[in-house]
Amino acid sequence: MQTMTSSSPLAPTAPMFDSLTAAMNEALFVQVDDAVFSADYLHAPDEFTRPDDVLVEGSRDDQELLLLQRDFEGARLTGDGEICLHDGTRIRFLRPASVH
């Protein structure tokens, strides 16, 4: 099991709530650095989300991904939609391509 955690118990600010909610919308995959996981569970944070609440669960072959609310504390959103966690881990929420 792969777990990423940080030590800060504080919830993210409202702009990060909005950014995570938008990023997670309709995502089927989660990219962590260069590894891509299927998004088995996504929970967009809100004002009631606690530091130990699970926001992301994913799987890939024989690996599992678990990201808690506190993992996103101190994270920043880059201009291209990537979320950079405090420890330098890069996260992207990926949606299927649509063809019109």
Side-chain angles (χ1 to χ4, degrees):
M1 173 176 281
Q2 180 179 353
T3 303
M4 298 178 203
T5 60
S6 65
S7 60
S8 177
L10 302 175
T13 60
M16 185 51 74
F17 283 154
D18 296 341
S19 298
L20 280 173
T21 299
M24 289 178 174
N25 188 34
E26 298 182 19
L28 294 182
F29 302 96
V30 181
Q31 182 178 353
V32 179
D33 292 327
D34 294 326
V36 177
F37 295 82
S38 65
D40 300 330
Y41 172 79
L42 298 175
H43 171 73
D46 57 27
E47 66 272 12
F48 302 109
T49 304
R50 308 286 303 165
D52 290 334
D53 287 349
V54 174
L55 297 188
V56 178
E57 286 184 28
S59 58
R60 162 192 151 147
D61 300 323
D62 62 343
Q63 295 180 325
E64 292 183 352
L65 170 69
L66 179 68
L67 293 171
L68 305 177
Q69 167 64 49
R70 72 170 154 241
D71 295 317
F72 290 92
E73 176 60 33
R76 62 182 173 77
L77 184 64
T78 65
D80 62 355
E82 184 175 75
I83 297 169
C84 186
L85 301 183
H86 181 71
D87 67 2
T89 302
R90 297 167 304 154
I91 306 287
R92 282 187 185 274
F93 293 95
L94 308 173
R95 293 168 199 74
S98 58
V99 178
H100 295 273

